[in-house]
Amino acid sequence: MDRLDELRLFLAAIEAGSLAAAGRRHGQSPPAMSRMLAGLEERLGVRLLERSTRRLAPTEAGRHLADRARRLLADYAEAVSAAAGEAASLRGRLRVTAPLVFGRLHVAPVVTAFLGEQPMVTAELQLSDRNLDLVEEGIDVALRIGPLTEGGLVARRLGSVRRLVAASPDYLARRGVPARPEDLAAYDVILFHSRATPAEWRFRGQGGEAATLRLPGRFAVNEARAAVAAAVAGHGVLSALSYQMEAELASGALVRLLREAEPPVLPVSLVFPSARLLPARVRAFLDFAAPRLAALPVLRSER
């Protein structure tokens, strides 16, 4: 096996946390990946990965090798790209993922605008409220809302959003305006549940401490726009992210409640694998998309 390919597979195994997953992405069988690792460890005379039944992790020697391998492969890729003129003629497939509503409203227009400037690039945008595994799914760039919890990824901060509570003016005229989060127990609650949405409602206490409420819902739905529509129709109080009901708040169809108790803002970022190994088309997309998305009014945390 070529020594550079050996290093690529070694890094892929660390990023995927699995020899089998890395092998699938690079067209290698599990036995071939095991032979690659065993040969590399034998030649270097040191153990590089610790294996468990569920996941593998690099040893200290493995981490040092991975750092140097990333730099070596990045230098090689830059040299080859310069020789081939890749920077002057971007080409290839770009794979992006984003949350459903934010992706439809804001990411999709940016991706299509990028394609308009790069005729040799094709793109696939996956909209999902589930955080897809970038390595497993072969994703180049993800828009993420909330703190970054995955290792081996880089985040480019764009701005932030808030989790808000709102209801229609008609509903508030009938039921009154809640003064405290605890008052919501007496209101009709619209629950929006997804894998990215907490089951309980989160607030900030008077002393700044975090507080949660688990409220019985009169109506529950797993899609944000359906929940917003129910709130606009006067069926109860809703908790959702600010961008999910931006238009309704701006038009007055929904009224923002309990501002003093809103939890801290959530960061919004473009997330991608190690920055030194990015293909030119991915670098170009990040440079194109980041300033356009960061300029969106919905990502201004002071709102």
Side-chain angles (χ1 to χ4, degrees), residues 4 25 49 65 70-71 78 105 120 150 168 181 184 192 218 223 234 239 243 258 260 295:
L4 289 177
R25 186 177 183 188
L49 297 177
L65 176 62
R70 289 189 182 97
R71 291 195 292 270
E78 289 173 6
L105 294 176
M120 302 302 293
E150 300 148 283
S168 72
L184 295 174
F192 162 44
R218 186 125 194 259
E223 199 276 326
S239 172
Y243 73 87
L258 302 172
E260 298 77 10

Side-chain angles (χ1 to χ4, degrees), residues 57-81:
T59 62
E60 183 176 359
R63 288 193 295 273
H64 290 161
L65 176 62
D67 290 340
R68 288 166 174 78
R70 289 189 182 97
R71 291 195 292 270
L72 175 63
L73 290 171
D75 291 340
Y76 174 77
E78 289 173 6
V80 171
S81 295

Side-chain angles (χ1 to χ4, degrees), residues 208-238:
E209 73 282 359
T212 60
L213 288 177
R214 187 174 288 269
L215 299 165
R218 186 125 194 259
F219 174 61
V221 64
N222 67 344
E223 199 276 326
R225 295 304 304 166
V228 171
V232 170
H235 296 301
V237 180
L238 168 71

Side-chain angles (χ1 to χ4, degrees), residues 120-137:
M120 302 302 293
V121 176
T122 62
E124 176 185 342
L125 174 60
Q126 294 192 39
L127 300 182
S128 173
D129 285 333
R130 178 174 64 90
N131 282 348
L132 302 180
D133 187 302
L134 272 63
V135 175
E136 284 281 347
E137 303 284 346

Side-chain angles (χ1 to χ4, degrees), residues 109-111 113-114 117 156 283-293:
V110 171
V111 173
F114 178 72
E117 294 193 3
R156 186 178 293 188
R283 285 187 186 276
F285 175 73
L286 288 167
D287 291 341
F288 180 90
R292 288 164 173 80
L293 293 171

